[in-house]
Amino acid sequence: MSGATGAQWNVWLGAAAVLLLLGLPPGLLAGCRGTPQERLAGLALTGTTATAVLLLAARGFGRSGYEDLGLVLAVLGPVGVLVFARVLARPDGRPPAPAADPDPSAPSAPPGSGATGGGE
């Protein structure tokens, strides 16, 4: 089917459509059900699928803007998964507390006691 206003269907758009129909539902299903680790795996699968679909659509439509978006998603997607994985690795699920600074007004060890590392 060809027309003056419609875009032509090609192999790249067909591959993007097949990947969208077959690759996205398992990722969405895993992202909506199961344990937090399984949901994280679903997030990673969905991000990878979306990246591939954007790159295929860029070739199909001949627009480099879609390609740029796909490449940015390819870089940032795994970073987001790593951040969530680090949070899930903690037993209580909370981010780590900031390290306490030593109190500058606290008394130091007396000289010659061996606590400072210097010996007599």
Side-chain angles (χ1 to χ4, degrees):
M1 179 176 185
S2 65
T5 60
Q8 293 209 345
W9 191 259
N10 58 31
V11 172
W12 300 107
L13 293 176
V18 167
L19 188 60
L20 196 60
L21 291 174
L22 297 178
L24 205 55
L28 291 175
L29 185 65
C32 293
R33 310 179 95 186
T35 65
Q37 289 82 6
E38 292 171 349
R39 290 178 182 190
L40 184 61
L43 173 69
L45 178 62
T46 304
T48 304
T49 304
T51 299
V53 166
L54 284 171
L55 291 175
L56 288 170
R59 283 295 251 175
F61 290 125
R63 299 196 176 200
S64 64
Y66 297 148
E67 190 173 293
D68 294 342
L69 183 61
L71 293 174
V72 168
L73 183 60
V75 171
L76 295 180
V79 173
V81 170
L82 289 175
V83 168
F84 283 121
R86 184 167 182 178
V87 170
L88 286 175
R90 294 190 46 84
D92 58 358
R94 291 183 297 172
D101 290 333
D103 188 13
S105 64
S108 61
S113 66
T116 59
E120 291 182 20

